[in-house]
Amino acid sequence: MRRYQEKATIIPKRLETSQSQQPVIITGSDLVGSAYHWNLDYLCAHLGYGLYTVYSSTSGKFKYYDEKKVPNVPSFKPPTSHTDMTFQDFVSILRQKNDSKWIYLQQPLNDTVGPRIEMDFKGFNWDFAYRQMKKNRWGPLTSNLLLVGMEGVITPAHYDEQENLFAQIQGYKRFLLFHPDQFECLYPYPIFHPHDRQSQVDFDEPDLKKFPLFSKLKGYEGIVGPKDVLYIPMYWWHQVESLQGHGETISCTFWFKAAPTEKVVYPLNAGQKVAIMRNIEKMIADTLKDNKNMPHFMKTMVQGSAD
Ligand SMILES: O=C(O)C(=O)C[C@H](CCCc1ccccc1)C(=O)O
Ligand SMILES: [Zn+2]
């Protein structure tokens, strides 16, 4: 956890998820056992010639942004660019070792893949995946994202709105995870901002004047290696780093929709509060139309009610 807090809680290792929406590193699941032999050469030979989205960054950090929201912030400067290319082209750029250029392939697995990859994909331990889905009452599986990163790439702190079984195939990734109730310490961007769901705090140079509560952050840390599966509960913040010295990383995510909320039980849990805050923020943004008034409007709303 380096400078972020004195000591992190180590993410526990288990044989499967527990029903408590807690992060665990699952060992021995063989969730992607049929892909343990995946490496760059094998993927080059068998992925076929479909196009893959490859992000590039000058800083090694790949802060996700929603292109559809860029018009909302005229001054927004995208921190990464992306192009679509064949996997073969991606690997040849990767092997040029041009260290000023950081690249990161992030592509949902689709039916353009060759027959060998399709066979490997069919060979995933789907029983295990569906057992976790049923046990935790998640919604349906939505997508499998193939991630191939240079060593050293970082995905800065953000949260996703789906449950995630994150399978590591090659290389090592350090995860920092933070419970949704650490919301106040991570200063998310406004919902209308392209960096919605991302933290405004640069973990390497935190501006503690602007983000004082960041120094109160308490989190979990875990390193996933080949064959490990990390359960990232929905709404949990996470930052991911491909560790130097272990070569490029290959991962595959299994994203599931949220469990349908049957009866709302009070008190609400932290994730439900995030969902409600997001809905309210969206309604206000839609009503105000002009996002500039948002901060003042919300401050007035809160301060006006202060007794
Ligand atoms: O699996 C996760 O949730 C991660 O954050 C893993 C992360 C890459 C995420 C890419 C991504 C793209 C668009 C939206 C959300 C995430 C990594 O491994 O570097
Ligand atoms: Zn994520």
Side-chain angles (χ1 to χ4, degrees):
M1 285 293 271
R2 294 201 295 264
R3 298 172 297 289
Y4 316 127
Q5 65 178 56
E6 47 291 358
K7 62 169 185 42
T9 307
I10 299 300
I11 298 171
K13 291 195 182 228
R14 297 282 186 277
L15 295 180
E16 56 180 351
T17 56
S18 59
Q19 285 171 312
S20 60
Q21 285 245 322
Q22 290 294 323
V24 289
I25 292 178
I26 300 162
T27 54
S29 71
D30 288 338
L31 173 58
V32 291
S34 54
Y36 287 162
H37 57 282
W38 285 8
N39 57 39
L40 292 189
D41 292 331
Y42 178 88
L43 293 176
C44 266
H46 298 290
L47 262 180
Y49 298 97
L51 295 181
Y52 289 79
T53 305
V54 175
Y55 293 84
S56 48
S57 157
T58 52
S59 72
K61 290 186 178 174
F62 290 78
K63 193 184 225 177
Y64 172 78
Y65 69 93
D66 182 344
E67 290 186 345
K68 297 190 294 302
K69 297 186 174 178
V70 171
N72 299 341
V73 182
S75 59
F76 181 72
K77 282 185 289 310
T80 60
S81 60
H82 63 84
T83 55
D84 291 349
M85 63 179 81
T86 63
F87 196 87
Q88 295 75 13
D89 287 348
F90 166 68
V91 171
S92 62
I93 300 171
L94 201 58
R95 286 179 169 157
Q96 274 160 20
K97 287 263 177 268
N98 162 358
D99 51 8
S100 67
K101 218 168 136 58
W102 299 78
I103 54 175
Y104 202 161
L105 182 145
Q106 303 180 353
Q107 172 68 37
L109 280 173
N110 55 38
D111 48 12
T112 64
V113 299
R116 283 292 299 272
I117 302 295
E118 192 184 337
M119 192 181 69
D120 295 339
F121 182 81
K122 286 197 171 103
F124 285 175
N125 187 345
W126 295 106
D127 266 3
F128 175 82
Y130 291 128
R131 214 171 35 250
Q132 305 315 305
M133 183 184 85
K134 285 195 191 61
K135 168 179 187 177
N136 296 285
R137 292 190 358 282
W138 296 336
L141 176 78
T142 58
S143 62
N144 294 96
L145 191 66
L146 174 65
L147 300 165
V148 183
M150 289 170 77
E151 52 181 65
V153 296
I154 291 179
T155 298
H158 69 280
Y159 66 88
D160 301 300
E161 295 180 273
Q162 299 204 18
E163 303 287 357
N164 183 359
L165 288 177
F166 181 96
Q168 187 62 9
I169 293 164
Q170 180 181 296
Y172 290 78
K173 280 183 168 177
R174 170 191 284 118
F175 275 82
L176 304 177
L177 267 77
F178 307 96
H179 189 283
D181 68 14
Q182 298 284 301
F183 202 83
E184 288 89 344
C185 307
L186 286 159
Y187 301 89
Y189 284 88
I191 283 186
F192 58 79
H193 194 284
H195 282 322
D196 173 26
R197 293 185 293 112
Q198 319 289 308
S199 169
Q200 295 181 73
V201 187
D202 177 349
F203 275 38
D204 290 331
E205 293 170 65
D207 177 345
L208 294 180
K209 268 193 283 312
K210 210 172 162 197
F211 310 120
L213 293 176
F214 181 73
S215 53
K216 298 269 174 296
L217 188 61
K218 296 213 65 53
Y220 293 73
E221 180 175 11
I223 291 180
V224 293
K227 308 186 182 181
D228 288 336
V229 175
L230 169 66
Y231 166 44
I232 310 174
M234 183 172 66
Y235 294 123
W236 275 64
W237 294 83
H238 46 287
Q239 171 151 309
V240 199
E241 177 185 5
S242 290
L243 293 189
Q244 298 279 7
H246 295 278
E248 60 280 333
T249 53
I250 302 176
S251 321
C252 181
T253 73
F254 291 67
W255 267 316
F256 297 83
K257 275 204 183 316
T261 318
E262 274 119 28
K263 223 165 63 56
V264 176
V265 177
Y266 290 95
L268 296 178
N269 65 41
Q272 287 167 323
K273 286 182 193 152
V274 172
I276 288 175
M277 270 192 282
R278 289 183 62 84
N279 288 337
I280 292 171
E281 202 178 324
K282 276 177 202 162
M283 283 192 294
I284 294 176
D286 290 348
T287 317
L288 287 184
K289 286 285 173 273
D290 182 349
N291 299 320
K292 269 203 307 298
N293 309 332
M294 192 82 166
H296 176 68
F297 179 85
M298 292 185 82
K299 234 186 283 194
T300 314
M301 196 163 72
V302 171
Q303 280 157 359
S305 61
D307 42 43

